[in-house]
Structure formats: C-alpha cells, structure tokens
Amino acid sequence: ALCGKCHGQPARWRASPSVHAPVRTGRCTGCHDPHGGGPRLLDASAPALCLRCHSDGAGVRGHFRADCARCHAPHAADRPALLVGPPEGRCAGCHEATLAAHPAGRRHAPFARGACLSCHEVHRGGDRLVKVPQGAACLGCHEAVRRAEVAGGSLHAPFLAGACAFCHDPHGSERPKLLRQEAALLCLSCHTALRDRIERAAALHDPVRAGACLECHRQHAAAGPKLLATTPPGLCRGCHHLSGERLVAAHPGRALAETRCTSCHDPHVRREGPGTPVPSPRTPGGR
C-alpha cells in the first residue's frame, strides 16, 4: 500500500491472469531495496535475485544462467508462468541460427509448430536442455519405433543408448527420416572396418555399391542378428532367384532354399578379381 501511493501499477498487476507471488502478497521489498540499489532499486541482479526463491538445489545450469526477464515478466503477465510472449516466440528470439539452418518444410513436426517444450526442458535438462534421457523424449512420440525395440532380437547401438540425435537431426533435414547424412555415409562413419574393405574391394554387392544399407538391415531393431531384415536365404531370395537355372547350375547338389548363403559369400565385398574363388572364412585360402 505504501509503494502504491507513488506506483500505480500494483493494483493493475494484481488483476492480471498471472501474478508474481511477491506482488500478490505486497512484498515489494522482497526484490527491491526501498532506499537504494541497482537498476529499479533491485537489491541483486538476475538470475541471482530470482534463484533466492526459484531454486531446487540442483545447481545453476542451462537457462538458469540467463537473464530471467528475457522470458518472464517480473510482476505480472497475461500468460501462465509470467511469460512475456508465447514459448515458441521466446525461443526464436535467441535461437535464430537454429531457425535459419532448418528452412520451413524440412522441419521436425514439433519444431515446425513451435512446440519446443515437447523435447526441451525450460530451465534444466541434459545436453542442450533435452529431456533426459534423450531416447525417452523421442520414443514418447515415435511409438512404432518403441514397438520395434520391444520386439527386436538385435538392437542398433545408438538406438540402444538412446542417442537418436547421432543419426537424426532433431530439428530438421532435407533427407528422409531427418537423417544427418545420406544413409550409407552415416553407416560407414561408424562401421569404419567395412568402409576400409569397400575401398580396397575388387567387387561390391549391388546394394553396397548403391549405398542401400537399409535394403538388408533395419535401422533400429530386428528379430535376427546383425539387424538383418530377415535371415538368409530368405533375405537373399528377395533379389536372387534361388531356383533359377544359372544359380542351380553353379551350386550342384545344393538345396539353395535351405542354404545359408553367407557361409560361402561375403554379403558386402569381394576382395579377389573376377573369376577367383572366394576363400572360406573357416579355412583361409580354401574353397
């Protein structure tokens, strides 16, 4: 009441939809020194002033390092949590580079509609304020991927670790499925031993040459080993006519429909020149 004799705003503030607790209870001196202080007679600056009350003891991280007034009105506001504008507008005000790097039409759905808080914590979180764990934040929406995890007999290591952003850009990409790179380049960035073999190979399996890793492998989980879409010979049958005259003649006495093709054939590369037998992996140098 004493402050209100000179400052007419308190009555208007208290009628707002969202009111800061000290304003509602008339405790102006909780933030202001009535005799002297910094700007606006504040007896401390943000965020130290705000953290006197708004702290859960978990330490000052993330947005708690910033000037709280960039997002929150100190006295009252028309929006919940004293926000001075809609959440998506607040984020865009600082994160202009993220917007510029991801043109409209190529954005992750939450990012496109400004729902930043569906993936990020406002004040605290892990790396880049992402909800912890990262994988849980993604699987909250991507139910089909969650079902693959439950059913899978083999799991992709980044997927198992919840490191979705290792392969996918969480804000947007010009590539399908928000991939950070073309699928083959992305796979070979981790599978370096295979990349070295491909570079030295005399011949490549057609899907390998085309960079079509996902023709044979699942990207998250699979019922069989090595993330294979299905196990040989069923997988091979998708491209190779196993009862065809040429294949039957090349494999006399073999029931190809029941044979594991990879017991003789490398599914990725051939190191020898054309017409040279491929050594058996069990007996180097043998047929």
Side-chain angles (χ1 to χ4, degrees), residues 79-274:
R79 295 177 174 83
L82 297 172
L83 286 173
V84 298
E88 58 271 21
R90 292 298 86 209
C91 301
C94 293
H95 300 284
E96 294 177 350
T98 303
L99 283 170
H102 300 87
R106 299 174 180 175
R107 295 176 180 173
H108 191 194
F111 181 54
R113 65 174 183 268
C116 308
L117 304 188
S118 63
C119 299
H120 299 276
E121 295 285 359
V122 180
H123 300 111
R124 303 184 186 278
D127 183 37
R128 300 180 185 274
L129 295 179
V130 174
K131 290 181 177 179
V132 181
Q134 178 197 119
C138 300
L139 292 176
C141 293
H142 297 282
E143 182 60 32
V145 180
R146 183 190 294 276
R147 288 196 298 270
E149 178 184 27
V150 172
S154 59
L155 299 175
H156 196 194
F159 178 58
L160 180 61
C164 309
F166 190 87
C167 297
H168 304 276
D169 188 315
H171 294 110
S173 172
E174 61 185 9
R175 301 173 186 86
K177 308 294 185 183
L178 301 179
L179 288 177
R180 290 188 177 276
Q181 293 179 285
E182 297 300 332
L185 295 177
L186 194 58
C187 298
L188 293 176
S189 67
C190 285
H191 298 282
T192 54
L194 176 58
R195 182 188 65 201
D196 293 343
R197 293 180 62 216
I198 289 173
E199 290 175 352
R200 298 193 303 266
L204 300 176
H205 192 193
D206 284 348
V208 175
R209 182 184 301 106
C213 309
L214 300 184
E215 281 194 12
C216 298
H217 300 276
R218 298 297 186 208
Q219 62 270 49
H220 297 114
K226 298 184 182 297
L227 295 174
L228 289 173
T230 185
T231 54
L235 180 63
C236 306
R237 190 183 296 120
C239 295
H240 301 282
H241 183 36
L242 300 186
S243 60
E245 182 178 342
R246 179 172 173 271
L247 280 182
V248 170
H251 300 82
R254 286 276 188 177
L256 295 183
E258 301 172 5
T259 299
R260 187 173 184 85
C261 309
T262 51
S263 61
C264 297
H265 298 278
D266 187 306
H268 297 108
V269 304
R270 184 178 69 197
R271 280 177 282 183
E272 291 72 22

Side-chain angles (χ1 to χ4, degrees), residues 54-69:
H54 302 283
S55 177
D56 59 9
V60 180
R61 295 187 294 141
H63 279 175
F64 269 164
R65 298 194 193 100
D67 179 4
C68 308

